[in-house]
Amino acid sequence: MPQRVLIAGTSPLLAARLAARCLTATDAAGTEVVLLSAVRSGPGAPAPGRRELADYVMRCGTGDGVPDASGAGRLTVVCAEPDAVAAELTARSAERVWCVVPGWDRSPARGARADAALTGSLLTALPALGARGYVHVGPDTTPDDGLAHPAYRDLERLAVEACLNAGVSWRVLRTAPVVDAGAPELGECPPGAHRLLWALHSVRAEIADRVPDWFERHPLRVAGTAGLGLPLLDAGQAADGLWRAGGTGDLPDGFAAVPRSAPVPLADVLARAGAVYGVDVCPVPDRDAFDAADRLLDLRLTDVRRQSVPLPDADAASAPASPCSSPPGGAGGGEAASAPAALSPAGQWEVFGAVRARQSSSGGVRDAGLRRRDVEVAGRPLTLFEGGSGDGPPLLVLNALGQGPGFLTRLCAHLAPHHRVVTWQVRGTERADPAWGTRHQLDDIDAVLGAVGAGHAHLLGWCTGAKIATAFQQHRPDAVASLVFLNATFRQDGRWDGMDTKYEADLAAVCRALDRRPDRAARMLDLLAPGAAGGRGSPGARDAGVLGVLSGALADEVRRPFRDAEVLVRYARQLVDLWRLDSAAQAPRVAVPALFVCSEFDGISSPARAREAARCFPRARYAELAVAGHYAPHDRPALVAELITEFVRAPHEVADLVRHAEITWHVDTEGTAR
C-alpha cells in the first residue's frame, strides 16, 4: 500500500541505503520517501549535498552501481543542520518514521550528542507527522569495541516510552558498522575497515609528501593483530537485514539486531589493504622497534583494534552460525537470521581499491579560495587574503614573523568551508618595509578588523603570532572572542630559561649578534637551516625520522627570512623586539578561552615552554599532537582544523569533542591547562 516514509539519519551512508531499499521494495510500489540527512559538516568530513545523496540512492537501488532514475520522482532529499531538524519536520508528514543513529562519528561524545538531538526531534514530532510506526536504528555494540556509549541505550528506552505514550508501533534495531565503497564520497568513515583504510591513506600521504619514494624501501610495522578479526559487513546486506526487521508494516513491537558477519583475520585485512595502498605492512610481535612512522600508524589503528573481535578457534569456526536473537529483556519479532558471509577476498580488493580511488580524487591539496586585496595602513599597503563562509566572528590568522602565506594555505583551505578566514602578509622584513615592531603589528590587526568590517574576531596565531595575538587581546579585549595558538613560541627574556630547542638557542644567538653587528649578516646566512629543524622536539624526545623531514611544498617558504643579509637583519630585530614582550604577565588577564595546539617533535618552537605558558592563561586548553612537528598545520590540516572548529563552537568542551589517539589533552579539573 503506498505510503510516505521519512528516513532521517546522522549516517548519510546507512540512511541512503535504507532509502534505496524502501524505494525498491516489492510491497512498497508508489511509496514516497523523504531522506533527511542531519549531518554537521566539519573539516575532513564534509556533509554530502542533496545531489550527492540522491545520486547515491539511485545507484544503490539498481544493485550494480548504475543510476536508475525510476524512483527519483518518489524521493525527496533534505539536508539540514542538526539544530534545524525540528523546524524542517513541521512541514512534513509520514506514516512510518526511521531514525538512523548508528553512532559512527569519530568523536563518541560529539556523535552521541548529535544522535540524541535527532532522536529527540523525531520523537517529539511523531504526532504532528501522523506517524503510525517508528523504527529506531542504533549501534550493536560490545563493552570493549569503543562504540558502547550509555546514551544509545538511553535513546532506545526513550524511543520505546515515547511510542507507547503516542500509541505508535515501534521497532528497535541494532547494526554493526558496515563497509561500502561510497563512504568517502558521502564524507563518512564508519568504524572498522574504513578507519583502517583511512589510517593507511593518511599515513601514506603524510610521509609521501616529504619523501615520495619512501615506501619503496621501508615497510610499516604493525603490532597487536594476533588472534583478532575484523567483521566486514557489506552495507547493502546491512540495509537488507534492517529492512526485513523493520520495513514490513505488520511486524510486532520489539527488538532485533542485524547479525554480524564472521570476522576476517585483521592481519589479512591489513595485508590486502596495504597492497592496495602500495604499502608493505609487516606484522611484528611488539612495538619495541617502532620508529615514528610505525607509531603514527599504530595510533591511528587504535580504535580499529578496539572494534576487532577475537577469532574463533577451529572447533568454534566449524560450528554452525548462531541465529540472530533479540537482546535480553527485549520482545522478539521477525524470523531469526543467519550471520551474513564476510566480504570475500575479491570483494575486499574491489571495495578497498574503490575507496582509495575516491580518497585520492578528493584528498589532494585544496585551494583555499582566498581573495587578495591591498588596504592602506600607516601610509603603506597591507596585503590581505580573505574568503570562506560561516556565521559569527571571523578567524583572523596571524602568520609568523617573516613568513609568507604558504605555511597556512592547507589549513585555511580546510577552515574556509566552515569559517570566514582572513590572513595577511606580516610586515617588517621586506626591503621596502620600515622597521616594524610589535606595536606596529597590533596596529595592523586593528586595521584588518576595520577592513573586513568585523567588530571582534577569533585570533589564531602560529609560531610567533601567538605572542602578538596575546598582546592584541590586552590591547583590545572587546575585539577578541577567543585565542588559538598553533605551535606557539612564547620565548621571553629572563623567563622559562633552559627550555629552548636547539634551533631556538642557535637562532637567539644569531639574532642578538645581528642586532648589535648587522654588518655580519652575510656571514651568518648559512648558520641557520630551518628546513632541517623539527626532527627532534624537547630534550630526550625520540627521533621523528621521516616525519621530521620538511614537506617539499615548504622548501622555499622556510628560506624566506634567510634569503639575503638585509632581510635577515630585519627579521632578527623583529624577533629581539618580540622576546622583550612579557606575555607571562599579560596571560593571567586574558579572560577569553585559549586553545594551545603543539607537537611532540616540534624542533623549532619548544613544546615544553608552550605548556608552561599555557599554565598562565586562566581558560586554556592544551592539546599535543603525537609524532608531529612544527609544521603540523600544513602536515595535518584536517585534524588541526577540526580542533579549531570545535573549539570555536564549544571552547569549554573541545577536549571531549575531539578525541583521537594521536592527541594528548592536558586539562585539570578547573579547566586550566597543565
Side-chain angles (χ1 to χ4, degrees), residues 72-100:
R74 296 185 285 122
L75 174 67
T76 301
V77 177
V78 179
C79 297
E81 287 285 314
D83 52 6
V85 169
E88 184 63 43
L89 292 175
T90 60
R92 303 289 168 187
S93 64
E95 288 81 12
R96 183 171 290 268
V97 175
W98 286 69
C99 178
V100 184

Side-chain angles (χ1 to χ4, degrees), residues 147-173:
L147 289 174
H149 195 291
Y152 289 99
R153 298 301 168 253
D154 292 339
L155 290 184
E156 292 178 354
R157 288 191 289 270
L158 180 66
V160 172
E161 194 65 32
C163 289
L164 291 174
N165 290 337
V168 174
S169 65
W170 57 273
R171 297 284 288 168
V172 172
L173 311 180

